[in-house]
Amino acid sequence: MLFSAFLQAIREIRRNLMRSMLTAMGIVIGIASVIAMVNIGKGASESITKSVSNLGSNTLYIMPSQEHGPGGNTAFSKPFTMKDVEILKSSIVALQAISPVASASITALYKDQNYQTSVRGVSNDYFSVQNWALKEGRFFEISELRTGQNVCIVGQTVVNKIFPLGESPIGAKIRLQNFSCEVVGMLQTKGANTFGTDQDDLVVVPIKMFQRRISGKEDVPLVMASVKENIPLEEAKIQIEQVLRERRHLKEHEESNFSVRSMTALLDTISNVTSMLTVMLSAVAAISLIVGGIGIMNIMLVSVTERTREIGIRMAVGAMAKDILIQFLIEATVLSALGGIIGLIIGIGITIAVAVAMDIAIIIDPTISVIALVFAMLIGIFFGLLPARKASNMNPIDALRYE
Amino acid sequence: MIKLQQISKIYGSGEVATHVLKNIDLEIKQGEFVAIMGPSGSGKSTLLNILGALDEPSSGTYTFFDSSINSFSKEQLALFRRYILGFIFQGFNLLKKTSALENVMMPLVYQGIDAKSRKEMAYKALKSVGLESHVYYNSNELSGGQQQRVAIARAIVTNPQVLIADEPTGNLDTQRSHEIMELIRSFNQNGITVIMVTHEEDIASFATRTIYLRDGVIERERTHAL
Ligand SMILES: Nc1ncnc2c1ncn2[C@@H]1O[C@H](COP(=O)(O)OP(=O)(O)O)[C@@H](O)[C@H]1O
Ligand SMILES: [Mg+2]
């Protein structure tokens, strides 16, 4: 009985295919957008999570905080020095590596080729914090770091831009601004990060040399540290804060004039934003599903009126009110479920297209697919109820007389 | 088998009330073939619809064997139509864009008969009306006589006790009408009680008894010698 009502429903939908498709359109759009949104959201946040952890999910960024100076100017509070870095390194065992980072945008020159790049003054720990490996050459010698020798390690992009094809940069002298330095190493390529920045676009020099030749100051504007595995980031962060507060003579009640941040904090912000977006867009999708449901109700009401005579015939041969009710309910449900299936397919298509275009992970969540289909069917049942009741409440003789 | 007592049907109320049937008393025995005749508007269809449990009388009692049809619920009436009655309508009333077979199978769906048996029974019924070569034709692709035969097959496929027919030959020419009447007579001879409305004497002559209706009252009746 149920199965033949189902077949009957399919036949009825095929009989008015065009109209049925248009009726189901609201459901199709609603389901497609829910599926696309949820899946794209998941793909995007997975990609971001992945690349942020590539950046180093165990990395801490220690910076002086911005302060509002007189006249609304923003200024940085007291910068760090190499002494701070050394003390942190020796006193906090939770840290795996810690390096000062100072950077400036400078034109690198070799023979007649020049290229503007980011020059960074660091210590050898920088390579460990940032997971850099060497393609050729070596890292800095202790003596080079201590005295601030004119040596540098170059990234792949810089090599491509200023060195002739096939020429090894090792041992070459490149000019940075008004001094030259000898290339002792070349970094393995990393490519672009999630935010689209080319990570290989850099020249690394000893921090001491950077301070003397480029910034002209003893400042360390940024300290990057990586925390040993299986030690919670938060714990290392508290230890660093304690040491630095002491070094900066901050009193109990005073706020820290520096910050210790991790990428996970950034990650939380991103996932907050994505989940907010998902909620908002899901609300839009829910509205379109309700509109779709009303569309189904509308067409089913028309269909019931058109098929009054058929209802009369069915009752005349012995159909009960409940048989008619079930028939029209199933028809509405099949219609909306069909819309749901088409919407699901389109939604998955959009997910894949967008994921490929935006270069994010393709995630098709089976749970949300099932939920969407069940929801589509529930909408069919809910909005099919009124037309089905109208059909089943008919009087056989009146239905038969209907012209 | 069937007993109508003091059956009246009034449409509307007050000034515009029309008494379509007035205190009809009628008894029909099992196996009878009853024709109901009368001028247009005399209440023939109204009477037939009451007998077919499609319509309810305004007053009076309708008894089928020992059951009082008046006191039946909507569901019981549906079951009465489903298992006891077979209906042939004046305008065929087939489902459009639906094959002859599907049309004939429809009443069996409500009897809860499985798909395979449904198909076999419907095919047998269509064969008995001489339409075995047209089972997959859509109802609108068939001629009037063929459509009426599909309607007959649909009415008898459930093997009803009573066959109710409202002008079964109304849309057909004389030759087709006689073919249809032969068919209906054969069902009657197989034990099905037949109640049929017609306004043609030669069609009524297939019946064993004719009731003449005028202005909602039984004017006279005649029993045919076989
Ligand atoms: N639903 C209705 N409402 C009002 N009057 C009706 C209705 N159905 C039938 N009638 C009236 O009842 C009378 C008998 O109708 P009907 O039984 O169809 O006659 P017949 O079949 O003998 O031609 C007619 O005058 C018709 O106008
Ligand atoms: Mg009539």
Side-chain angles (χ1 to χ4, degrees):
Chain A
M1 180 64 221
L2 271 182
F3 183 65
S4 59
F6 172 77
L7 290 181
Q8 171 70 25
I10 298 272
R11 205 166 24 224
E12 216 46 66
I13 287 165
R14 270 181 39 195
R15 197 166 293 169
N16 285 307
L17 196 59
M18 193 67 195
R19 185 169 81 180
S20 305
M21 287 300 109
L22 288 174
T23 306
M25 197 64 95
I27 303 283
V28 171
I29 292 170
I31 296 294
S33 37
V34 170
I35 295 292
M37 256 144 19
V38 172
N39 285 338
I40 292 169
K42 283 194 179 230
S45 63
E46 172 163 310
S47 292
I48 290 168
T49 312
K50 209 163 154 194
S51 50
V52 165
S53 59
N54 274 351
L55 282 180
S57 57
N58 64 338
T59 307
L60 291 173
Y61 296 74
I62 308 156
M63 282 173 282
S65 33
Q66 279 186 335
E67 282 181 348
H68 295 283
N73 292 336
T74 57
F76 282 98
S77 60
K78 194 173 128 193
F80 302 115
T81 60
M82 275 312 290
K83 188 82 186 154
D84 292 314
V85 179
E86 275 152 29
I87 284 175
L88 285 172
K89 188 176 168 85
S90 58
S91 63
I92 301 177
V93 286
L95 297 183
Q96 183 160 37
I98 180 164
S99 167
V101 181
S103 58
S105 183
I106 285 172
T107 303
L109 196 107
Y110 180 70
K111 291 184 180 156
D112 55 349
Q113 296 293 317
N114 64 68
Y115 177 67
Q116 179 147 347
T117 185
S118 164
V119 175
R120 280 173 219 171
V122 302
S123 71
N124 263 344
D125 269 11
Y126 176 74
F127 303 106
S128 150
V129 172
Q130 290 282 69
N131 290 321
W132 279 113
L134 280 174
K135 189 178 173 191
E136 263 183 75
R138 58 171 176 82
F139 291 124
F140 301 124
E141 308 265 350
I142 305 288
S143 60
E144 287 167 349
L145 286 166
R146 200 176 53 231
T147 56
Q149 292 275 318
N150 287 4
V151 287
C152 56
I153 294 171
V154 291
Q156 184 70 51
T157 304
V158 176
V159 173
N160 293 349
K161 293 285 181 181
I162 63 173
F163 285 93
L165 200 69
E167 186 180 322
S168 168
I170 306 297
K173 292 223 167 180
I174 60 171
R175 277 195 79 76
L176 297 172
Q177 219 158 262
N178 53 356
F179 61 93
S180 68
C181 70
E182 183 191 341
V183 177
V184 294
M186 181 181 163
L187 297 169
Q188 205 120 51
T189 179
K190 267 190 181 177
N193 66 16
T194 337
F195 313 106
T197 320
D198 179 8
Q199 300 177 89
D200 301 321
D201 185 0
L202 84 170
V203 173
V204 187
V205 300
I207 179 76
K208 195 124 191 196
M209 170 192 156
F210 188 96
Q211 288 169 334
R212 198 166 58 217
R213 299 281 196 157
I214 298 171
S215 67
K217 288 186 281 191
E218 298 277 283
D219 290 357
V220 172
L222 169 69
V223 178
M224 285 171 72
S226 62
V227 178
K228 281 179 184 158
E229 231 168 289
N230 66 45
I231 291 179
L233 234 51
E234 207 50 34
E235 201 177 302
K237 190 177 149 179
I238 289 167
Q239 289 179 23
I240 292 170
E241 275 168 353
Q242 256 170 11
V243 171
L244 286 178
R245 281 181 71 86
E246 210 166 294
R247 296 247 329 130
R248 297 184 149 224
H249 309 294
L250 293 174
K251 301 206 173 68
E252 195 99 13
H253 63 273
E254 281 181 296
E255 255 185 67
S256 294
N257 53 4
F258 61 91
S259 66
V260 184
R261 293 215 186 97
S262 63
M263 273 299 181
T264 22
L266 177 67
L267 216 64
D268 288 346
T269 317
I270 290 169
S271 81
N272 271 345
V273 171
T274 38
S275 62
M276 229 173 69
L277 266 176
T278 309
V279 167
M280 252 171 57
L281 295 174
S282 301
V284 173
I287 289 169
S288 103
L289 281 177
I290 289 169
V291 171
I294 292 170
I296 286 191
M297 179 162 73
N298 192 23
I299 291 293
M300 290 301 294
L301 281 171
V302 171
S303 174
V304 164
T305 308
E306 275 182 5
R307 288 156 63 192
T308 300
R309 203 163 240 271
E310 174 195 327
I311 294 163
I313 297 168
R314 289 181 181 277
M315 286 179 160
V317 302
M320 285 188 198
K322 81 168 203 293
D323 298 320
I324 303 292
L325 184 88
I326 288 170
Q327 182 190 335
F328 280 91
L329 261 189
I330 286 183
E331 211 172 300
T333 311
V334 168
L335 194 58
S336 60
L338 220 61
I341 290 169
I342 295 171
L344 180 65
I345 293 168
I346 293 176
I348 289 174
I350 293 173
T351 305
I352 293 172
V354 170
V356 168
M358 284 176 38
D359 195 24
I360 56 175
I362 297 174
I363 294 182
I364 311 287
D365 186 345
T367 325
I368 194 71
S369 303
V370 171
I371 290 173
L373 280 186
V374 169
F375 198 67
M377 286 174 69
L378 288 180
I379 281 188
I381 293 172
F382 183 78
F383 287 99
L385 206 56
L386 185 75
R389 285 193 63 98
K390 188 185 165 199
S392 66
N393 281 339
M394 283 181 185
N395 204 351
I397 189 68
D398 295 336
L400 275 170
R401 282 213 192 98
Y402 185 84
E403 291 300 330
Chain B
M1 181 190 213
I2 290 171
K3 196 168 182 185
L4 298 185
Q5 286 168 298
Q6 295 295 299
I7 290 285
S8 291
K9 181 74 185 179
I10 305 168
Y11 284 116
S13 60
E15 301 248 316
V16 292
T18 38
H19 290 249
V20 177
L21 295 176
K22 298 164 190 160
N23 304 323
I24 299 276
D25 286 312
L26 178 63
E27 208 173 330
I28 296 169
K29 293 189 186 66
Q30 198 164 5
E32 265 196 296
F33 188 161
V34 178
I36 301 171
M37 289 198 68
S40 184
S42 55
K44 304 185 295 293
S45 294
T46 306
L47 180 59
L48 210 61
N49 289 334
I50 289 169
L51 284 166
L54 293 171
D55 206 354
E56 284 172 22
S58 307
S59 63
T61 56
Y62 174 9
T63 337
F64 182 82
F65 287 112
D66 297 328
S67 310
S68 165
I69 304 298
N70 302 85
S71 59
F72 273 17
S73 66
K74 276 181 84 174
E75 283 70 29
Q76 284 174 308
L77 288 174
L79 292 174
F80 181 55
R81 294 192 296 267
R82 184 185 295 182
Y83 291 105
I84 309 291
L85 305 180
F87 232 102
I88 305 171
F89 303 95
Q90 185 170 359
F92 315 138
N93 270 341
L94 298 176
L95 299 185
K96 295 190 196 76
K97 294 191 203 167
T98 304
S99 72
L101 194 67
E102 290 286 344
N103 265 291
V104 177
M105 277 161 59
M106 198 224 331
L108 301 173
V109 172
Y110 297 112
Q111 290 198 349
I113 290 166
D114 67 272
K116 191 165 168 283
S117 316
R118 270 203 313 258
K119 210 163 173 171
E120 283 168 9
M121 290 166 76
Y123 182 81
K124 230 177 93 188
L126 280 165
K127 195 173 172 184
S128 75
V129 299
L131 274 181
E132 65 268 34
S133 56
H134 289 73
V135 287
Y136 292 113
Y137 279 58
N138 273 351
S139 58
N140 36 308
E141 296 163 0
L142 297 171
S143 72
Q146 288 170 328
Q147 288 191 45
Q148 190 61 301
R149 281 191 278 166
V150 175
I152 292 169
R154 183 181 62 193
I156 54 98
V157 70
T158 55
N159 197 21
Q161 295 187 40
V162 183
L163 184 63
I164 293 175
D166 195 352
E167 306 207 25
T169 62
N171 300 321
L172 307 176
D173 59 43
T174 316
Q175 200 206 327
R176 294 261 177 285
S177 299
H178 281 255
E179 281 170 25
I180 295 290
M181 288 319 299
E182 288 295 347
L183 206 56
I184 291 176
R185 175 148 64 189
S186 72
F187 293 126
N188 176 245
Q189 280 163 355
N190 285 331
I192 299 179
T193 307
V194 179
I195 308 170
M196 172 188 76
V197 163
T198 181
H199 58 261
E200 292 169 72
E201 275 293 350
D202 64 324
I203 298 299
S205 68
F206 281 84
T208 53
R209 177 154 69 118
T210 307
I211 289 161
Y212 293 88
L213 213 59
R214 182 179 288 273
D215 294 335
V217 292
I218 294 176
E219 194 183 37
R220 64 195 168 93
E221 67 173 81
R222 188 161 65 95
T223 309
H224 306 264
L226 280 177

